[in-house]
Amino acid sequence: MTKTEKALEACEKVLDGIEENSISTSSALLQCLKISRLLNDYNAIVWFQYEYGGYPRTDDGKHIQSEAWNIAYKNGRGYIDEGNKVIFTELASELEEKIVAQHKAVNNFSTQGTAISGDYALGAVNNLTSAVARSTNGIVSNIALSEKRLSILKSRYYDYALKKQIEVAFGNVAESVFSEYRKKVENKFSDLSKDTILKLQAVEDKINSDNPELYSQALTTCRRLFENTSKELFEQYFPEYKDRMYKTKSGKEIDVSGDHFKNKLSAVIETLEGKSATKSIVGSNIIYLLDWIDNLNDLQCKGVHSDISKQDAMRCIIQTYICLGDILNLQSD
């Protein structure tokens, strides 16, 4: 069983357990800690560790440390008391034990079996009854407060498990869909030259690195991949074309000589779309992607956008894969 599968299993335990009231809040907390660990959710790990072991205090022991206090407040423990922001610090296990003890205490308060005689018997009974009532009411109020706080924590744990279940389930679906698409496209990539295939593999190697410099190289590789593809496909569909300019169906003339690979791609895509039974927007998607790559590289060169992030590189690679796949799929339509 993979970590993701174990995380999903833990999510189900929390959700089903809370919905069916078959799991304690403290047990749900431990399952949430397990989920966060399996999914490498660092912020949640810190939060659940505090929830389980207690929120750390300052050296003098009088206050909760600032960072820990903020985590507690934003995760449901905060409330307003006489105009001030405060938090409650009881752990789920402490609240559970407190509720059980308070229920037992309520049951122990009674005037039954009390025998009082004499001139002041009536007054004594009234005083005893009032004292029992006050104590009982106080305990009942404490029970209500403890149960409310425990419900808040339980709700937070439930929300976390539900959120992660949705994220993981959606991620699995998205990964499955993309894998299926990729499998179909890879069959088409085999029609390209070895040099183009090597560039595709180089892109994948770069995205798996933790070196920021390689993310920028990944964008450059994607661009060169389009250059290779446009050159190969243009030679395939326009083998005898020697003119410098190409007239599109709209009447616009574009330069397809030399390194004008965007225009070569446009000519190829227009030809493929003309043969396809279905309309597509492959051309506009590719031009948008190439312009985005060029703009990002220009900003980097000017120092406006000094670092290409891994997210930028991933977006570029995924879009490149989809766009190239769309081009190659058009050939079989």
Side-chain angles (χ1 to χ4, degrees):
M1 186 179 290
T2 65
K3 284 187 175 182
T4 301
E5 290 171 338
K6 289 180 180 178
L8 276 175
E9 184 179 66
C11 287
E12 289 292 342
K13 287 182 179 179
V14 174
L15 299 177
D16 289 343
I18 291 178
E19 289 170 355
E20 298 169 2
N21 199 29
S22 60
I23 187 175
S24 66
T25 305
S26 54
S27 295
L29 163 61
L30 288 176
Q31 289 296 322
C32 286
L33 180 56
K34 179 179 181 180
I35 295 166
S36 63
R37 174 180 59 81
L38 290 169
L39 298 179
N40 296 319
D41 188 350
Y42 174 75
N43 291 334
I45 291 174
V46 173
W47 169 35
F48 290 128
Q49 283 179 331
Y50 290 163
E51 287 289 311
Y52 181 70
Y55 284 81
R57 293 183 174 272
T58 54
D59 292 338
D60 59 13
K62 295 181 179 179
H63 305 285
I64 301 295
Q65 292 178 9
S66 177
E67 184 179 351
W69 191 96
N70 290 331
I71 291 174
Y73 193 89
K74 76 175 184 179
N75 283 297
R77 289 181 170 272
Y79 61 99
I80 304 298
D81 182 31
E82 297 182 355
N84 298 315
K85 290 183 176 180
V86 294
I87 62 171
F88 65 89
T89 58
E90 299 102 322
L91 304 181
S93 58
E94 293 173 339
L95 288 169
E96 289 170 338
E97 291 175 0
K98 183 184 290 187
I99 291 169
V100 171
Q102 288 169 337
H103 274 293
K104 289 181 179 179
V106 168
N107 294 332
N108 290 334
F109 275 101
S110 173
T111 57
Q112 292 182 358
T114 302
I116 300 176
S117 61
D119 296 337
Y120 301 101
L122 181 60
V125 169
N126 288 337
N127 289 337
L128 178 60
T129 302
S130 297
V132 169
R134 285 194 301 272
S135 297
T136 301
N137 289 337
I139 295 175
V140 169
S141 296
N142 288 335
I143 291 174
L145 179 60
S146 296
E147 288 181 339
K148 178 182 178 181
R149 290 178 173 178
L150 190 63
S151 294
I152 290 172
L153 298 182
K154 184 186 295 184
S155 174
R156 290 288 174 159
Y157 304 158
Y158 182 92
D159 288 346
Y160 178 79
L162 180 61
K163 177 184 176 183
K164 290 304 171 182
Q165 184 196 49
I166 293 172
E167 286 180 3
V168 173
F170 177 79
N172 287 344
V173 171
E175 184 178 351
S176 176
V177 170
F178 186 74
S179 295
E180 185 68 23
Y181 178 84
R182 179 175 182 170
K183 192 180 298 182
K184 292 179 180 178
V185 171
E186 280 177 345
N187 294 329
K188 298 294 181 182
F189 275 130
S190 62
D191 296 334
L192 297 177
S193 70
K194 183 178 179 181
D195 187 47
T196 303
I197 296 295
L198 290 175
K199 281 186 170 60
L200 182 64
Q201 293 172 348
V203 169
E204 295 178 357
D205 291 339
K206 287 179 173 61
I207 197 59
N208 291 325
S209 169
D210 291 327
N211 185 351
E213 293 181 4
L214 294 181
Y215 301 153
S216 178
Q217 293 179 25
L219 266 66
T220 302
T221 302
C222 286
R223 193 177 189 279
R224 289 175 180 168
L225 187 54
F226 276 108
E227 290 180 14
N228 271 41
T229 304
S230 66
K231 179 181 178 181
E232 291 185 31
L233 293 180
F234 191 81
E235 290 176 353
Q236 177 182 339
Y237 287 95
F238 300 91
E240 304 297 329
Y241 201 87
K242 303 298 181 183
D243 295 341
R244 176 170 170 269
M245 305 302 291
Y246 172 83
K247 190 173 184 179
T248 65
K249 291 181 179 179
S250 65
K252 180 181 178 180
E253 291 192 341
I254 56 177
D255 190 344
V256 293
S257 64
D259 295 329
H260 293 88
F261 73 97
K262 290 184 185 179
N263 291 341
K264 288 181 179 180
L265 266 181
S266 296
V268 170
I269 292 169
E270 184 180 75
T271 300
L272 291 174
E273 288 179 333
K275 296 179 179 180
S276 175
T278 58
K279 294 286 185 181
S280 74
I281 55 172
V282 174
S284 58
N285 285 344
I286 291 174
I287 298 303
Y288 168 79
L289 175 60
L290 291 172
D291 286 342
W292 178 79
I293 293 173
D294 288 342
N295 288 336
L296 204 57
N297 282 328
D298 288 344
L299 288 173
Q300 186 183 30
C301 292
K302 294 175 182 177
V304 178
H305 193 114
S306 57
D307 293 320
I308 302 296
S309 68
K310 187 171 185 176
Q311 183 177 355
D312 290 331
M314 288 178 64
R315 175 186 173 188
C316 180
I317 290 170
I318 291 172
Q319 291 294 335
T320 296
Y321 208 101
I322 292 173
C323 287
L324 286 177
D326 286 343
I327 295 173
L328 298 173
N329 280 334
L330 276 176
Q331 297 181 87
S332 59
D333 284 352

